[in-house]
């Protein structure tokens, strides 16, 4: 029995279902970003981009690809392993994959906004936007949860 009084298999099933539900939100964001990035590469304007801009773009696509792989892995693992009673492993490793995937997604979104800032307003805007957007993701996704973890539950 868990501390909530539910049997361990039931708790694991619930936790896996919660993880997969949370992934649906992140996956939607990653899919939209990836589609946007793929479309950009085939525009006439992109061909005129500087080597620096194309490099940032490629790094952004790589982070988006990594986020896609990391955020979809737990769903694939669940499909392949759930009948084998491996929910505990799916949760333990899946949680790490999701956190890494969210970090990649945060970097990809930050780089996308920074690249847009660079194309429209120049290097100063790119740096300012990267710091602002990266800071927002860092604080909301990683700092605040750690602060909440240090407080006792109500």
């Amino acid at each position: 029995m868990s501390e909530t009084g539910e049997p361990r298999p039931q708790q694991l099933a619930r936790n896996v279902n919660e993880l997969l539900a949370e992934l649906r939100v992140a996956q939607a964001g990653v899919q939209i970003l990836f589609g946007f990035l793929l479309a950009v590469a085939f525009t006439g304007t992109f061909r005129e981009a500087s080597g620096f801009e194309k490099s940032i773009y490629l790094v952004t696509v790589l982070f988006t690809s990594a986020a896609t792989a990391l955020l979809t892995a737990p769903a694939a693992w669940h499909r392949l392993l759930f009948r084998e009673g491996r929910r505990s492993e799916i949760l333990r490793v899946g949680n790490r994959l999701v956190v890494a995937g969210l970090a990649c997604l945060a970097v990809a979104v930050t780089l996308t906004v920074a690249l847009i800032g660079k194309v429209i307003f120049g290097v100063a805007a790119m740096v300012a936007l990267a710091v602002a957007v990266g800071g927002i993701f860092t604080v909301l996704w990683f700092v605040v949860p750690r602060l909440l973890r240090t407080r006792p539950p109500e």
Side-chain angles (χ1 to χ4, degrees):
M1 289 279 186
S2 69
E3 61 266 357
T4 61
E6 64 187 323
R8 181 77 172 141
Q10 186 177 2
Q11 179 190 30
L12 288 172
R14 180 179 52 78
N15 288 341
V16 167
N17 287 333
E18 288 173 0
L19 175 68
L20 295 175
E22 292 165 358
L23 285 174
R24 286 185 194 101
V25 174
Q27 286 172 346
V30 131
Q31 289 169 343
I32 291 166
L33 177 60
F34 203 55
F36 165 76
L37 290 171
L38 291 176
V40 165
F42 298 102
T43 64
T45 306
F46 181 76
R47 288 184 194 98
E48 298 170 12
S50 71
F52 177 71
E53 292 164 348
K54 288 178 179 178
S55 296
I56 293 173
Y57 170 82
L58 183 58
V59 170
T60 304
V61 169
L62 292 173
F63 270 103
T64 306
S65 298
T68 300
L70 291 162
L71 292 171
T72 57
W77 288 16
H78 178 260
R79 183 58 28 216
L80 295 169
L81 299 173
F82 81 101
R83 292 186 197 273
E84 297 177 18
R86 308 296 296 263
R87 285 189 174 119
S88 180
E89 290 92 346
I90 293 169
L91 279 170
R92 183 175 43 79
V93 179
N95 184 60
R96 291 183 184 127
L97 293 173
V98 169
V99 171
L102 289 173
C104 287
L105 178 58
V107 171
V109 171
T110 299
L111 288 174
T112 300
V113 173
L115 182 58
I116 291 168
K118 162 70 171 75
V119 169
I120 295 173
F121 294 110
V123 175
M126 177 187 78
V127 172
L129 288 169
V131 169
V133 173
I136 290 168
F137 275 113
T138 300
V139 169
L140 291 178
W141 284 12
F142 302 103
V143 174
V144 171
R146 288 192 183 277
L147 292 173
L148 292 174
R149 192 185 303 162
T150 62
R151 292 184 183 164
E154 295 177 6

